[in-house]
Amino acid sequence: MTELEAVKYISLQLRSVYEEGEAASIAELVVEYITGLTKQQRMAARSVLLTIEQEQQLNPILARLLQMEPVQYVLNEAWFCGFKFYVDKNVLIPRPETEELAEWIISNCKFPMSELKILDIGTGSGCIPVSLKRRLRKAEVWSIDISEPALTIARQNAVTSGTPIHFLQADILDKEQWPSFPLFDIIVSNPPYVPEKDRARMHPNVLKYEPGTALFVPDDDALLFYKTIAAFGKQHLAKNGSLYFEIHEDLGQAAIELLQQEGYTVELKKDMQQKDRMIKSGLI
């Protein structure tokens, strides 16, 4: 089987559970993973045969994909801000919208970077703090998560990328832990923000495989984490510091009102799909 035939074979099999375009994209990722060659490199050598070992990897991978397990978990890798991250079922798969949040933070950072102190709350795979540290080398970056398995993955990604980060297991909802933290110039969070009532609208591969604790909040308290982090920010934001959030596309106005009531200025930013997705706030 050639590499091109492998892409076509996987894509055809996956059309039973995915749209044609998505099936083709997943097939390309699988063959790139197996061969170690990019699409461009493979296009330049269309007739190259897969080795026996490479062919043997196909069916176990395909079996998992046909169960709608996300390809990022099957391959244990996801790309974020141009960097490859290890991921598994203990962490959310990094999303393009979150990349936009990270890029927004980087674009707003001011010199001197050596004096910049950043905290990421709810780190998951570590994609946000690792990407920020790789781009803002002199900044001091802290990162917390309530999940020890998630922190293990985040630490692994930080070590792999050579980015020293202060990782701590902590629950931001536990206010008794707050006094142990210093002041920060930037506090960023992509917290759980999906109301429980939205479960029925979500794709089955998200519900079945991604960690629900990192996704869902109670219907009657959908802004729980924003409210809590805003209160934390009053104690731990340095002068002229900023909060950055990823938000639910339907809760932009509610988040704005909450933050304004807490004494913050608010800048709402849409993502590339023109959905309300990011907020930057500072204390008045």
Side-chain angles (χ1 to χ4, degrees):
M1 181 185 294
T2 67
E3 294 168 356
L4 183 59
E5 289 170 339
V7 171
K8 290 181 178 179
Y9 170 71
I10 297 167
S11 180
L12 185 62
Q13 297 296 312
L14 291 179
R15 287 181 197 176
S16 62
V17 291
Y18 290 102
E19 296 291 335
E20 182 177 347
E22 189 169 6
S25 296
I26 293 172
E28 292 285 357
L29 290 173
V30 171
V31 175
E32 180 173 332
Y33 172 80
I34 289 174
T35 64
L37 300 174
T38 65
K39 183 177 181 179
Q40 290 73 22
Q41 290 170 324
R42 288 185 279 106
M43 289 297 288
R46 288 172 175 266
S47 60
V48 174
L49 292 170
L50 294 180
T51 66
I52 293 174
E53 292 77 12
Q54 289 171 341
E55 284 199 30
Q56 288 174 341
Q57 293 181 63
L58 283 181
N59 286 333
I61 289 174
L62 189 55
R64 292 173 66 182
L65 292 171
L66 288 170
Q67 294 298 312
M68 299 194 75
E69 184 174 354
V71 64
Q72 293 89 346
Y73 290 158
V74 175
L75 306 182
N76 291 127
E77 62 183 38
W79 288 87
F80 185 88
C81 289
F83 307 121
K84 186 188 293 184
F85 288 82
Y86 176 91
V87 294
D88 67 20
K89 64 181 181 180
N90 291 295
V91 297
L92 291 181
I93 297 166
R95 273 27 181 218
E97 298 87 350
T98 312
E99 286 189 1
E100 293 184 60
L101 176 65
E103 292 291 350
W104 193 27
I105 294 170
I106 292 166
S107 69
N108 283 326
C109 282
K110 298 178 181 178
F111 292 94
M113 295 297 179
S114 58
E115 298 178 7
L116 196 64
K117 188 172 289 188
I118 301 171
L119 172 65
D120 174 52
I121 297 174
T123 194
S125 65
C127 62
I128 292 177
V130 168
S131 297
L132 293 179
K133 181 64 176 177
R134 292 187 75 162
R135 298 276 293 279
L136 307 170
R137 284 287 179 179
K138 294 184 178 181
E140 181 180 334
V141 181
W142 291 51
S143 189
I144 68 170
D145 202 291
I146 194 174
S147 166
E148 185 58 43
L151 284 172
T152 297
I153 291 171
R155 290 188 184 103
Q156 175 182 332
N157 283 321
V159 169
T160 300
S161 62
T163 50
I165 293 171
H166 300 279
F167 287 107
L168 294 172
Q169 184 177 16
D171 179 4
I172 195 63
L173 299 180
D174 182 0
K175 296 183 179 181
E176 292 184 2
Q177 298 181 25
W178 292 4
S180 63
F181 289 93
L183 295 178
F184 296 96
D185 301 288
I186 294 172
I187 297 173
V188 54
S189 185
N190 176 21
Y193 59 65
V194 182
E196 284 283 349
K197 63 181 176 60
D198 285 0
R199 280 181 180 269
R201 295 164 48 188
M202 300 187 71
H203 201 281
N205 62 353
V206 174
L207 290 175
K208 186 175 180 180
Y209 293 102
E210 297 200 56
T213 54
L215 287 168
F216 297 107
V217 285
D219 290 337
D220 61 355
D221 202 4
L223 298 176
L224 168 65
F225 285 93
Y226 303 98
K227 179 171 55 181
T228 301
I229 295 170
F232 177 85
K234 289 181 178 180
Q235 299 179 21
H236 292 280
L237 265 184
K239 184 179 179 180
N240 299 320
S242 299
L243 298 180
Y244 287 87
F245 293 114
E246 183 172 322
I247 63 171
H248 190 291
E249 63 189 80
D250 296 334
L251 297 176
Q253 190 57 43
I256 288 172
E257 292 174 2
L258 181 147
L259 289 165
Q260 288 176 336
Q261 289 170 5
E262 292 294 324
Y264 287 87
T265 60
V266 183
E267 181 180 352
L268 178 67
K269 185 175 176 65
K270 296 183 183 294
D271 63 17
M272 287 186 293
Q273 298 181 15
Q274 296 305 302
K275 296 179 179 179
D276 293 342
R277 186 65 73 179
M278 292 159 274
I279 279 179
K280 175 186 176 185
S281 296
L283 286 168
I284 298 172

